[in-house]
Amino acid sequence: MARQPVVTAAQGDGPEHDPALRPKLLREVIGQKAVVQRLGIVLNACRKLKESLPHILFDGPPGLGKTTFAHVLPNELGTSIQMTSGPALSKPADLLPFLTNAGDGSFLFIDEIHRMPRVVEEFIYPAMEDFRIDIVLGEGINARTISMKLKRFTLIGATTRSGMLSGPMRDRFKVHEHLEFYTVEELSRIVRVNAKKLNTEIGDDAALEIARRSRGTPRVAIGRLMWARHYSASEADGRITLDVARAALDMAAVDGEGLDKQDRRYLEVLIDVFGGGPTGVEAIAATMNLPTDTLSDEIEPYLLREQFIVRTPRGRLAMPRAFQQLGRPMKRPPQGDGPTLFDGVEEQ
């Protein structure tokens, strides 16, 4: 009989939503069809060959399902998973308990693996390749090295910045999957499925409205579903209709394009303060009093994807859609600056 999955969490890890809302098996995952298909092939092959899964790296923007896949794979194989994060591993000794406690076929999940210090990264290399670790005892001429064998485990890494991983680290992952943004139809299905798990009645048109305003991200869709559920329980009869969904999202300052207060503030700063750009992200972050990482990791990906802004060698530049969204007239730059984005656009 297969062992039941056991999940342990280390410092710095914590689900954003009720873990019961996560899919349990690969067939329950909505969206990411190509990734699901490839992982299914790897799972079937490893079952037939009676081998452990190769090390897997998931990359992509936040909220697209990297942690969800990390939970699904141990469930498929009926094995255990240990979870930690890159910032929690400040020295090699922090990684030792996870490696020594790993069983045959078990999983170790490291979130934000690109933030793992180089000394820890180099310590884990022999563990990933040869399933052993070298421990140095003593100091100076009395020091000696002990090589400790490990069980064959699978390391799952998740990162929002795969480019920050070193080449040797990235090459040690035999399976590398990039997660894409979801379509409105896929998000609508996710909203309906999770509303059913929450015993909440929701109309198809309401689920579609929430999906349209969820930035192509399941985590955002579930968060906005939870807000609409609370709003309906407080201000309506508990059912999420189209009117209730619109009222809830409007109160949360989420517009029809899925932009929230921070998104609109970003565009307002770029257009009103910097004249539409181009300007550096550091200048925008300083004006908004936010960390640069918050802008580049959380705000900008959706604005870039939906063509509200573009990145140029000289900085961020607002696109015509951003001016239209805020109801601002597009201003021509002073003469002599050379060709710009707005050349050939007639003033209204």
Side-chain angles (χ1 to χ4, degrees):
M1 182 178 298
R3 292 178 294 169
Q4 293 298 315
V6 178
V7 178
T8 59
Q11 181 181 1
D13 180 77
E16 290 77 14
H17 306 289
D18 183 357
L21 299 182
R22 293 188 188 277
K24 299 295 189 297
L25 299 172
L26 207 57
R27 65 173 179 269
E28 299 174 6
V29 175
I30 298 171
Q32 308 293 346
K33 291 182 180 179
V35 175
V36 170
Q37 186 177 14
R38 287 192 291 268
L39 290 177
I41 291 173
V42 173
L43 280 169
N44 290 334
C46 289
R47 288 192 188 102
K48 292 180 179 180
L49 297 172
K50 297 182 180 179
E51 297 176 352
S52 59
L53 259 66
H55 304 304
I56 303 172
L57 177 66
F58 293 108
D59 80 85
L64 296 188
K66 296 184 289 293
T67 304
T68 294
F69 278 112
H71 282 79
V72 163
L73 294 175
N75 289 336
E76 286 282 353
L77 297 176
T79 187
S80 62
I81 180 172
Q82 301 177 94
M83 306 186 71
T84 185
S85 64
L89 304 172
S90 59
K91 55 186 183 299
D94 296 330
L95 193 58
L96 275 177
F98 298 103
L99 297 177
T100 55
N101 290 330
D104 281 321
S106 66
F107 289 78
L108 171 59
F109 175 63
I110 302 180
D111 197 12
E112 295 300 308
I113 195 170
H114 66 271
R115 298 178 62 187
M116 196 165 58
R118 181 57 59 89
V119 64
V120 180
E121 181 180 310
E122 293 175 351
F123 179 76
I124 204 175
Y125 287 165
M128 295 176 68
E129 288 188 318
D130 304 323
F131 299 99
R132 66 172 178 82
I133 51 176
D134 298 322
I135 302 175
V136 179
L137 301 179
E139 296 179 357
I141 61 174
N142 296 320
R144 58 195 180 97
T145 302
I146 297 178
S147 183
M148 180 183 297
K149 290 186 178 181
L150 303 172
K151 303 290 181 63
R152 297 187 70 87
F153 69 97
T154 297
L155 175 64
I156 299 179
T159 176
T160 55
R161 294 183 170 185
S162 61
M164 291 184 64
L165 280 175
S166 66
M169 185 68 182
R170 190 164 48 246
D171 292 342
R172 281 172 169 81
F173 288 98
K174 304 308 179 186
V175 178
H176 186 178
E177 295 292 352
H178 177 76
L179 303 188
E180 301 286 351
F181 286 100
Y182 290 61
T183 65
V184 172
E185 290 74 18
E186 290 168 345
L187 288 178
S188 180
R189 287 179 57 200
I190 291 172
V191 168
R192 292 197 302 271
V193 167
N194 285 282
K196 185 176 181 181
K197 290 180 180 180
L198 294 168
N199 297 317
T200 300
E201 184 179 344
I202 186 170
D204 290 344
D205 51 357
L208 199 60
E209 183 70 15
I210 293 174
R212 285 196 191 101
R213 304 195 194 189
S214 295
R215 309 161 64 96
T217 306
R219 180 182 296 167
V220 175
I222 294 173
R224 288 175 181 170
L225 167 64
M226 299 290 283
W227 163 245
R229 178 172 178 259
H230 292 157
Y231 180 91
S232 179
S234 174
E235 305 298 323
D237 59 2
R239 296 178 299 170
I240 303 178
T241 63
L242 178 59
D243 291 338
V244 168
R246 285 175 174 171
L249 294 172
D250 289 344
M251 179 172 282
V254 178
D255 64 22
E257 297 290 341
L259 303 182
D260 58 22
K261 290 183 292 186
Q262 291 285 55
D263 298 321
R264 288 193 297 276
R265 188 175 169 221
Y266 179 103
L267 295 178
E268 288 168 357
V269 168
L270 180 57
I271 292 173
D272 297 340
V273 178
F274 296 103
T279 189
V281 66
E282 294 83 3
I284 300 174
T287 304
M288 295 179 66
N289 196 26
L290 289 175
T292 304
D293 287 348
T294 300
L295 268 61
S296 57
D297 292 344
E298 299 179 16
I299 297 178
E300 288 188 342
Y302 182 69
L303 298 178
L304 288 164
R305 173 173 169 254
E306 295 301 313
Q307 299 179 7
F308 287 102
I309 64 171
V310 292
R311 289 178 179 171
T312 72
R314 296 173 58 194
R316 274 54 171 176
L317 185 66
M319 295 289 281
R321 189 178 180 189
F323 287 85
Q324 295 168 4
Q325 184 70 19
L326 297 183
R328 305 289 200 274
M330 289 185 288
K331 301 177 181 178
R332 288 188 180 277
Q335 295 297 322
D337 281 358
T340 69
L341 173 69
F342 303 111
D343 286 354
V345 178
E346 295 184 2
E347 295 179 349
Q348 301 296 325

